[in-house]
């Protein structure tokens, strides 16, 4: 059977065939320095296959296309398509000059030509005497107290009332025999400026021990020369704020009627002075015992200036004996 042989391609002229025909590879001419070494026939098919794959994939065509589009994009990027003024000058950034609107000012008085920066240290004198602000008089509230069931309640109630009074105010609380820590704690919590005084007099044989407690407060005021209006406020009484404000109007001595419960506790009676302006012309009384009393006033129905106790020259007192309440008189006559 006749065999048909096709002409071999130059790339495959060294391939061996099944019929035993083959060509020797003149690869020695590709070796450097004319080396006579030959590649083995097993390496040649691998090399030709790799070259064939590279040519088939067309990497050169892809590389040329990428290079072509890169050059076009670079040219379009640097080419100017419009006009831009690159001449930046300082006058382009100057702000417009702002001017306030014109105002036509007219001075009715004289024109000010100069300004003096001197300081006048003289105080302006008030035109009227009513413009002078006088400081408030100090109130000196004297409260005798003793240990009993409602002592804490009475002191707290009176302390809350005194807390609402405008200062200056001094609350003198007098205890007998010993000063208790409970009373001191109550006085601290009220927030009122106070003085805790102790009466060391043995008042067990006295009908009304509060007389000696008030005398201890009067002695404290005289010794320290406290200036103000003295008012005796028992802790078991009820007082209004208007009363304390009216106390500051007293210059020397003042008295007023006091409402109190009758012995039957079913009605209120009024006891105190009948006044005509600043003069006492009579007394309100419901006393049926016909006891002769010079002043029908309650202990909480009068107040006086504290300087009477320690400034005898100011009030022209003929004697310098201390003013104290007497414990030898009957109850109700100490006033």
């Amino acid at each position: 059977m006749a065999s048909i042989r096709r002409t071999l391609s130059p790339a495959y002229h060294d391939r061996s065939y099944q019929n035993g025909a083959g060509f020797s590879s003149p690869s020695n001419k590709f070796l450097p320095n004319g080396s006579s070494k030959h590649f083995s026939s097993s390496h040649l098919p691998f090399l030709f296959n790799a070259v064939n794959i590279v040519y088939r994939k067309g990497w050169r065509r892809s590389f040329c296309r990428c290079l072509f589009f890169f050059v076009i994009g670079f040219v379009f990027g640097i080419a100017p398509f419009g006009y831009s003024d690159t001449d930046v000058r300082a006058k382009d950034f100057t702000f417009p000059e702002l001017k306030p609107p014109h105002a036509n000012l007219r001075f009715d008085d004289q024109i000010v030509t100069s300004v003096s920066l001197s300081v006048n240290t003289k105080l302006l004198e008030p035109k009227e005497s009513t413009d002078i602000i006088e400081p408030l008089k100090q109130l000196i509230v004297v409260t005798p107290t003793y240990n009993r069931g409602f002592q804490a309640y009475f002191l707290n109630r009176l302390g809350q009332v005194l807390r609402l009074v405008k200062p200056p105010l001094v609350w003198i609380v007098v205890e007998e025999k010993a000063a208790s820590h409970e009373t001191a704690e109550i006085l601290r919590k009220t927030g009122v400026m106070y003085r805790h005084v102790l009466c060391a007099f043995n008042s067990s044989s006295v009908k009304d021990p509060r007389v000696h407690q008030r005398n201890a407060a009067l002695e404290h005021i005289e010794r320290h020369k406290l200036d103000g209006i003295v008012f005796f406020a028992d802790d078991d009484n009820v007082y209004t704020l208007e009363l304390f404000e009216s106390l500051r109007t007293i210059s020397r001595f003042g008295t007023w009627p006091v409402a109190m419960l009758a012995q039957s506790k079913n009605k209120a009676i009024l006891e105190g002075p009948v006044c005509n302006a600043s003069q006492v012309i009579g007394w309100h009384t419901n006393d049926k015992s016909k006891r002769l009393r010079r002043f029908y006033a309650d202990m909480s129905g009068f107040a006086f200036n504290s300087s009477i106790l320690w400034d005898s020259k100011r009030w022209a007192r003929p004697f310098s004996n201390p003013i104290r309440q007497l414990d030898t008189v009957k109850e109700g006559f100490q006033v």
Side-chain angles (χ1 to χ4, degrees), residues 21 57 83 97 166 199 206 216 222 234 237 248 258 307 311:
K57 288 188 178 181
Y83 174 76
E97 185 178 0
K166 295 180 181 179
C199 178
V206 181
E222 183 179 355
D234 295 338
N237 292 342
R248 289 192 167 98
V258 177
S307 61
D311 194 356

Side-chain angles (χ1 to χ4, degrees), residues 215 218-219 222-223 304 306-313 315-326:
N215 288 336
L218 294 177
E219 183 180 357
E222 183 179 355
R223 184 189 305 115
F304 60 94
S306 64
S307 61
I308 297 176
L309 301 175
W310 47 267
D311 194 356
S312 58
K313 294 182 180 180
W315 303 104
R317 285 172 47 192
F319 55 90
S320 59
N321 296 331
I323 299 176
R324 301 290 185 269
Q325 292 185 6
L326 301 177

Side-chain angles (χ1 to χ4, degrees), residues 12-234:
Y12 302 97
H13 63 277
D14 290 335
R15 181 180 298 179
S16 59
Y17 294 91
Q18 293 181 357
N19 53 5
F23 296 92
S24 61
S25 174
S27 57
N28 54 346
K29 62 181 180 180
F30 295 102
L31 293 178
N33 300 326
S35 177
S36 62
K37 291 183 180 180
H38 297 275
F39 288 105
S40 62
S41 60
S42 61
H43 294 166
L44 292 176
F46 175 78
L47 180 61
F48 290 128
N49 291 335
V51 173
N52 190 20
I53 290 173
V54 171
Y55 274 99
R56 287 182 181 179
K57 288 188 178 181
W59 62 273
R60 291 184 177 180
R61 184 184 303 173
S62 300
F63 177 77
C64 292
R65 290 178 180 178
C66 292
L67 183 61
F68 175 73
F69 286 112
F70 174 78
V71 172
I72 293 176
F74 179 77
V75 172
F76 277 99
I78 63 175
F81 289 95
Y83 174 76
S84 60
D85 189 7
T86 58
D87 187 10
V88 181
R89 300 177 182 178
K91 64 179 181 179
D92 296 335
F93 297 95
T94 56
F95 295 96
E97 185 178 0
L98 301 179
K99 295 182 179 181
H102 179 70
N104 188 11
L105 300 179
R106 231 168 77 180
F107 294 95
D108 296 334
D109 300 334
Q110 59 182 359
I111 300 176
V112 180
T113 56
S114 62
V115 179
S116 177
L117 300 179
S118 61
V119 179
N120 188 5
T121 59
K122 295 183 180 181
L123 297 178
L124 297 177
E125 297 181 357
K127 298 180 180 180
E128 299 179 0
S129 59
T130 57
D131 297 337
I132 301 176
I133 301 176
E134 296 182 359
L136 295 177
K137 294 182 181 179
Q138 181 174 239
L139 298 181
I140 305 173
V141 181
V142 178
T143 301
T145 184
Y146 57 94
N147 188 13
R148 61 190 188 279
F150 291 93
Q151 180 187 12
Y153 168 73
F154 291 146
L155 287 177
N156 278 304
R157 183 180 64 180
L158 181 57
Q160 295 301 322
V161 175
L162 297 179
R163 186 178 182 178
L164 301 176
V165 181
K166 295 180 181 179
L169 183 144
V170 179
W171 189 18
I172 301 179
V173 180
V174 186
E175 279 193 295
E176 57 179 357
K177 297 181 181 180
S180 63
H181 296 284
E182 292 79 5
T183 304
E185 185 68 20
I186 292 173
L187 297 179
R188 281 194 295 268
K189 290 182 179 179
T190 56
V192 182
M193 186 171 61
Y194 71 93
R195 295 192 179 186
H196 198 178
V197 180
L198 177 63
C199 178
F201 185 81
N202 188 9
S203 58
S204 59
S205 59
V206 181
K207 295 181 180 180
D208 191 2
R210 293 177 296 180
V211 174
H212 295 281
Q213 291 176 287
R214 296 190 190 101
N215 288 336
L218 294 177
E219 183 180 357
H220 180 83
I221 295 172
E222 183 179 355
R223 184 189 305 115
H224 296 280
K225 295 183 179 181
L226 300 180
D227 191 9
I229 305 299
V230 180
F231 174 65
F232 297 104
D234 295 338

Side-chain angles (χ1 to χ4, degrees), residues 139 161 164-165 239-249:
L139 298 181
V161 175
L164 301 176
V165 181
Y239 306 93
T240 61
L241 295 177
E242 290 78 7
L243 172 62
F244 294 98
E245 295 300 329
S246 62
L247 292 178
R248 289 192 167 98
T249 61

Side-chain angles (χ1 to χ4, degrees), residues 255-285:
T255 182
W256 55 88
V258 177
M260 60 186 66
L261 291 175
Q263 294 181 358
S264 59
K265 305 295 182 181
N266 56 1
K267 64 177 181 179
I269 60 177
L270 191 65
E271 187 176 64
V274 178
C275 300
N276 183 11
S278 60
Q279 294 182 354
V280 178
I281 60 176
W283 299 92
H284 293 288
T285 178

